[in-house]
Amino acid sequence: MVNVPTIQLSDGSSIPQLGLGVWQVEPEITARVVSDGIAAGYRLIDTAEGYHNEEGVGEAIRSAGVPRSQLFITSKLRNGGHARDAALKSFDATMAALGLEQLDMFLIHWPVPSQDKYVEAWKVMVELQQQGRIKSIGVSNFNQDHLQRIIDETGVKPVVNQIELHPYFQQTDKRAFLKQNGIHIEAYSPLGSGSVLKDAAIAEIGRKHGKSAAQVIIRWHVQQGDIVIPKSTHADRMAANIDVFGFALDSTDLQTIAGLDKGEGGRTGANPATADFLF
Ligand code: A2P
């Protein structure tokens, strides 16, 4: 079984660098998918209240036969739950669905700037962490202005910012600020929701190393030093996707992949500056 390296977060916790993302995994199959993932060696599982599959994740955790302390479970606060009372209720609902006493990491899912409540939500995250109910707190889909605001108003920095990131949407402009503030990037849609898998240049690099396109892309994320959470519902793909620690991309490969960035045109998901959906 593959041993995934860990990354140390700014609060001292360790997170596996590679995990299983369960966005778009149907609730009915989530327990099976996460069980297959854990059997393949995944220890970081990334869900959200908005994915409606936390129960399945909880079921898999209970039947895994792996000590709870070896698993790193992340969930996210829903967009309609930023106000203090709603946030506390949402967190309780997440913990009940997962069947957990303590969460390894909780993230604000989206800033929803038009709602202007993400600072209030961040204060609740800080409070829950102080109570020991969450080990690490972070955010998702935050731009620099959103991050600066929560840091200025609370003095507490998130340990990660989970953002869409893949070869077609590399977000290089975000790196310097995040690094300066000790905030790790966690890459979601790391395969571009599958769109980068058909890229000819990636396939060519794969042929050179005897690896699949998915393995090349995931290895690229690892070499960037980011945390990465590819999604698959197939056990064989999950096993292949985690098996990326026995080869390395060289500087020519990295240069080729750097050239695949399409900037804003490569984005597959919503834009955090304007996204205002309230689930
Ligand atoms: P599936 O779940 O059917 O395996 P991302 O992680 O960027 O969101 O990409 C997820 C998409 O990529 C899903 O459609 C998933 O399909 C597909 N995928 C994940 N791993 C592989 C792989 N190793 N080979 C082919 N497709 C993959």
Side-chain angles (χ1 to χ4, degrees):
M1 202 175 59
V2 178
N3 243 332
V4 175
T6 54
I7 281 189
Q8 188 164 28
L9 300 172
S10 62
D11 63 5
S13 296
S14 290
I15 183 171
Q17 191 179 6
L18 200 163
L20 181 67
V22 298
W23 178 45
Q24 292 181 326
V25 177
E26 295 86 356
E28 313 78 60
I29 63 163
T30 300
R32 191 275 298 163
V33 167
V34 175
S35 295
D36 285 348
I38 293 172
Y42 290 81
R43 295 294 176 264
L44 162 61
I45 311 293
D46 183 272
T47 183
E49 185 174 12
Y51 302 168
H52 307 293
N53 57 20
E54 289 170 314
E55 283 86 356
V57 173
E59 203 180 315
I61 295 169
R62 285 188 292 282
S63 64
V66 170
R68 170 70 186 92
S69 60
Q70 287 180 20
L71 296 170
F72 192 107
I73 310 299
T74 301
S75 193
K76 310 185 193 79
L77 178 66
R78 66 187 178 86
N79 290 356
H82 284 192
R84 187 169 187 280
D85 287 355
L88 290 169
K89 265 191 204 138
S90 286
F91 177 71
D92 285 344
T94 280
M95 297 305 273
L98 289 167
L100 295 178
E101 292 295 314
Q102 190 188 40
L103 194 59
D104 297 280
M105 188 159 76
F106 200 43
L107 311 178
I108 300 179
H109 206 149
W110 292 86
V112 199
S114 58
Q115 180 179 231
D116 198 20
K117 288 206 171 79
Y118 61 85
V119 176
E120 189 172 341
W122 185 243
K123 288 178 180 165
V124 176
M125 309 280 283
V126 172
E127 195 180 321
L128 290 167
Q129 185 185 38
Q130 281 165 352
Q131 291 170 6
R133 301 192 68 197
I134 310 169
K135 281 193 187 164
S136 296
I137 53 174
V139 296
S140 185
N141 298 298
F142 271 46
N143 286 338
Q144 183 167 331
D145 54 330
H146 312 130
L147 285 163
Q148 193 64 62
R149 196 163 153 215
I150 59 169
I151 295 168
D152 287 348
E153 295 200 26
T154 67
V156 182
K157 292 177 177 175
V159 294
V160 306
N161 186 17
Q162 186 181 118
I163 53 175
E164 177 181 349
L165 200 146
H166 48 79
Y168 289 168
F169 189 52
Q170 299 188 19
Q171 304 227 51
T172 46
D173 54 325
K174 284 216 166 75
R175 280 196 185 275
F177 177 83
L178 293 171
K179 197 169 177 184
Q180 239 169 37
N181 285 283
I183 302 167
H184 276 280
I185 291 178
E186 187 171 30
Y188 80 74
S189 295
L191 309 172
S193 280
S195 66
V196 192
L197 291 169
K198 295 182 212 80
D199 188 273
I202 298 280
E204 185 56 39
I205 296 171
R207 270 192 292 280
K208 181 170 124 186
H209 294 279
K211 300 291 169 187
S212 70
Q215 287 172 318
V216 168
I217 301 164
I218 295 166
R219 178 69 205 178
W220 173 76
H221 286 283
V222 166
Q223 286 185 221
Q224 299 248 97
D226 296 337
I227 303 155
V228 56
I229 47 166
K231 170 260 179 186
S232 179
T233 57
H234 296 88
D236 55 342
R237 290 178 178 175
M238 282 186 243
N241 290 354
I242 200 176
D243 185 16
V244 296
F245 298 98
F247 78 109
L249 301 173
D250 59 34
S251 55
T252 313
D253 304 331
L254 295 175
Q255 225 172 348
T256 302
I257 299 176
L260 299 179
D261 192 7
K262 298 180 181 182
E264 193 53 37
R267 190 195 287 282
T268 63
N271 185 337
T274 50
D276 59 0
F277 37 87
L278 291 183
F279 51 85

